[in-house]
Amino acid sequence: AQKVTQAQTEISVVEKEDVTLDCVYETRDTTYYLFWYKQPPSGELVFLIRRNSFDEQNEISGRYSWNFQKSTSSFNFTITASQVVDSAVYFCALSEADNNAGNMLTFGGGTRLMVKP
Amino acid sequence: AAGVIQSPRHLIKEKRETATLKCYPIPRHDTVYWYQQGPGQDPQFLISFYEKMQSDKGSIPDRFSAQQFSDYHSELNMSSLELGDSALYFCASSWGAGYQETQYFGPGTRLLVL
């Protein structure tokens, strides 16, 4: 069963628009971490943020903000005033404390964001 | 800051050949992970090593093997290559092997099997 779901496979916006990328996860663990990574056209995976399951405070970093809601098992990512350089595939990922889960990251299917000038 | 180094960056092989991918973790990182990303897909975990011992195993084919050396670099050995092995192979590293550790990814090795 898919543990991390990114329902939006592709989003297209015009520069300066705000955009929210959705991430829904499922886990039986009460202890886990959630991550967001960015994969630009060049292909590398760039770490953006890590959030543990006990910290539901929203976080803002420049134009980026993250909304973590345990009640809905969601960890959404908003880019404010999008720029062409934000064009990339964005992955949400889950790491569970369960010993059987190991220390691997389980990724969502990714959301391709295209920001047009 | 130093990042994860992977070599080679691109590799072209024929079916049934072998390939070796190398990964040099961020200095002082003791854990290495390997992921495979097929075209248009999300990265899939293959295997990880902590302090030179295998720590977790994912969907790694039996034709693949990996190890971590005393200097913490890791190599992924792939034999009897198949067309379906064509993918982007990422190595990631972290300080510590816990679920809470942030994995920092290298630029990837793009393998094409003809």
Side-chain angles (χ1 to χ4, degrees), chain A residues 11-31:
Chain A
I11 300 176
S12 181
V13 299
V14 177
E15 214 172 13
K16 298 184 184 175
E17 285 185 9
D18 299 346
V19 59
T20 296
L21 310 182
D22 297 333
C23 172
V24 174
Y25 61 93
E26 58 180 273
T27 177
R28 294 179 183 174
D29 251 332
T30 56
T31 307

Side-chain angles (χ1 to χ4, degrees), chain A residues 31-33 35 37 39 42-45 47 50 91 95-97 99 101-105 107-110, chain B residues 9 31 33 35 37 41-43 45 48 55-56 88 90 97-107 110:
Chain A
T31 307
Y32 51 89
Y33 271 78
F35 302 79
Y37 286 87
Q39 187 171 40
S42 50
E44 72 272 26
L45 275 169
F47 164 72
R50 177 186 73 170
F91 288 100
S95 177
E96 298 163 290
N99 285 336
N103 56 358
M104 59 184 247
L105 287 174
F107 286 85
Chain B
R9 293 292 309 277
T31 306
Y33 314 78
Y35 290 81
Q37 185 180 27
Q41 298 180 5
D42 55 285
F45 173 73
S48 63
S55 57
D56 285 294
L88 187 54
F90 284 108
Y99 71 98
Q100 73 278 12
E101 303 303 333
T102 296
Q103 297 180 25
Y104 294 92
F105 285 76
R110 196 171 292 278

Side-chain angles (χ1 to χ4, degrees), chain B residues 47-50 52-57 66:
Chain B
I47 196 166
S48 63
F49 294 87
Y50 168 63
K52 292 150 279 185
M53 300 284 290
Q54 180 182 306
S55 57
D56 285 294
K57 197 171 182 180

Side-chain angles (χ1 to χ4, degrees), chain A residues 62-110:
Chain A
R63 297 185 295 108
Y64 295 171
S65 62
W66 290 269
N67 184 330
F68 175 35
Q69 293 195 338
K70 284 181 79 168
S71 60
T72 56
S73 296
S74 65
F75 185 41
N76 296 336
F77 173 31
T78 297
I79 301 175
T80 303
S82 59
Q83 300 176 2
V84 173
V85 293
D86 295 327
S87 297
V89 179
Y90 291 86
F91 288 100
C92 180
L94 168 70
S95 177
E96 298 163 290
D98 177 6
N99 285 336
N100 291 329
N103 56 358
M104 59 184 247
L105 287 174
T106 299
F107 286 85

